[in-house]
Amino acid sequence: MRLDLTTLNLVLAIEQTRSITRGAQQEHLALAAASKRISDLEARLGVQLFERRARGVEPTEACRALVRHIRSLHASLHALESEVMEFARGIKGHLRIAANTGSIAECLPPDLAAFLQAHPQIRISLEDLTSAEVQAAVAEGRADVGVFTAPLLDNRLQTWTYKPARLAVLVPKGHALATQAAVSFDDLLAYDLIGLHAGAAAQELMREQALARGRTLNARLQVRGFDAIAQLVEAGLGVAVLPEEPAERFAKVFEVKRLRLDETWAQRDYVLGVMRQERLPTVVQRFVDALCPAVRREEERSKA
């Protein structure tokens, strides 16, 4: 069965506008032609895509599933067009990376620099997202590679362990906890916590740990960026949990102190993920090999 882009774009337009008439207008089709395309598609797929109602249409679950694939197809086509056009400019590849804030602050930049030095004809674009958003971007084809922390939320991804990491605590100098070298999460729950915005992996992890203790997370302030967190901690507005390496750097710059977070869940891994497929594109495979060389050596041993 062959599906044409015009019909798929029409489905997307109707789903967005909740109207066959407006969807047809958006795609510059006559209403009768649009209606026939939808009817023919429903017949070929054997499912109903839209429920006709007095004031428009409502997409069915089958339609919503189809729309997800159409959006993924659009992302792939956009990537295809961009990458092919870049060959005309002498660039031999374009790698779209989505990464969470912790990996960007802690370990990713030097590895990106080394990769670009070894592959100067590859262009990299990097987007800062939450771990959940990173996984969605890769699974939906909006990014080629993702770097994030557990848990894995989408089984469409193939993953490898990238680098270990640890969470630490940042408190103002002069704070009641500042005399200690290490603190437990229970110690922190008595104070206002400054963290990243909702959806960030560390923030969700702390919320779950608080709920497991029957406590409430006093998330007084939530911001984007570790620099902002450090400045708010310095101002005495609360304490914070963030990756250890940025915490150590901030302790040298701001009037704050880094403490060890004495919890097993404070130890975590950054994960490299790609869309699960039989064969990775060459540029993606090179990036995986560069950031996870142990995986490459294991694959070579298994083939020997």
Side-chain angles (χ1 to χ4, degrees):
M1 179 177 63
R2 299 177 63 183
L3 301 176
D4 64 274
L5 280 175
T6 300
T7 301
L8 295 181
N9 288 339
L10 175 63
V11 171
L12 192 59
I14 295 172
E15 190 271 341
Q16 291 171 338
T17 63
R18 296 296 197 272
S19 166
I20 295 178
T21 301
R22 289 196 295 273
Q25 291 172 345
Q26 186 172 306
E27 294 304 310
H28 307 290
L29 293 170
L31 178 58
S35 296
K36 187 174 189 310
R37 280 180 178 272
I38 296 301
S39 298
D40 289 348
L41 181 59
E42 288 177 327
R44 290 165 65 185
L45 295 175
V47 296
Q48 183 179 359
L49 296 176
F50 297 99
E51 294 178 357
R52 278 68 172 175
R53 296 185 177 177
R55 295 187 177 182
V57 296
E58 186 68 24
T60 63
E61 286 302 315
C63 180
R64 291 189 179 95
L66 178 60
V67 164
R68 286 196 297 271
H69 287 288
I70 295 172
R71 287 179 176 147
S72 177
L73 176 62
H74 278 187
S76 297
L77 289 173
H78 177 72
L80 181 152
E81 182 181 18
S82 297
E83 188 166 343
V84 171
M85 288 176 65
E86 285 169 351
F87 276 91
R89 302 200 298 269
I91 298 172
K92 297 299 177 68
H94 177 202
L95 189 65
R96 300 167 300 155
I97 302 171
N100 71 346
T101 303
S103 65
I104 295 173
E106 199 160 21
C107 55
L108 194 55
D111 286 337
L112 289 181
F115 181 79
L116 286 173
Q117 186 173 6
H119 304 88
Q121 291 178 308
I122 293 176
R123 184 169 71 83
I124 284 179
S125 58
L126 175 63
E127 188 173 9
D128 182 356
L129 301 171
T130 67
S131 287
E133 291 169 342
V134 168
Q135 295 181 55
V138 175
E140 294 168 8
R142 292 181 282 112
D144 303 306
V145 182
V147 183
F148 55 92
T149 53
L152 178 64
L153 304 173
D154 198 311
N155 60 12
R156 290 176 291 177
L157 269 58
Q158 179 180 2
T159 62
W160 301 270
T161 299
Y162 170 37
K163 283 192 176 177
R166 186 172 183 85
L167 293 171
V169 176
L170 215 58
V171 301
K173 284 188 177 178
H175 190 274
L177 297 176
T179 58
Q180 300 177 218
V183 293
S184 69
F185 188 57
D186 287 313
D187 295 329
L188 300 181
L189 288 173
Y191 302 95
D192 290 327
L193 281 161
I194 301 168
L196 293 174
H197 51 93
Q203 198 71 15
E204 292 303 306
L205 180 58
M206 288 192 293
R207 185 181 61 80
E208 291 169 5
Q209 290 298 320
L211 287 174
R213 291 165 166 80
R215 303 281 297 277
T216 300
L217 191 67
N218 297 320
R220 183 179 183 183
L221 296 169
Q222 291 179 288
V223 296
R224 284 188 175 270
F226 294 135
D227 284 4
I229 289 176
Q231 292 178 66
L232 291 169
V233 171
E234 181 185 49
L237 294 174
V239 300
V241 173
L242 67 165
E244 193 168 48
E245 287 195 19
E248 288 179 355
R249 293 198 299 269
F250 294 140
K252 298 174 183 177
V253 178
F254 300 103
E255 292 295 309
V256 297
K257 184 178 178 183
R258 180 192 65 81
L259 310 177
R260 178 181 174 85
L261 180 57
D262 195 10
E263 300 286 349
T264 55
W265 51 265
Q267 184 67 47
R268 58 185 191 161
D269 291 323
Y270 289 118
V271 175
L272 194 72
V274 302
M275 188 184 294
R276 192 179 296 277
Q277 51 196 296
E278 188 174 332
R279 184 181 179 85
L280 293 179
T282 302
V283 173
V284 175
Q285 185 66 64
R286 287 181 181 177
F287 188 73
V288 172
D289 293 344
L291 267 66
C292 303
V295 173
R296 181 65 172 177
R297 290 195 296 271
E298 183 61 32
E299 289 177 348
E300 289 173 349
R301 281 198 297 270
S302 66
K303 292 178 182 177

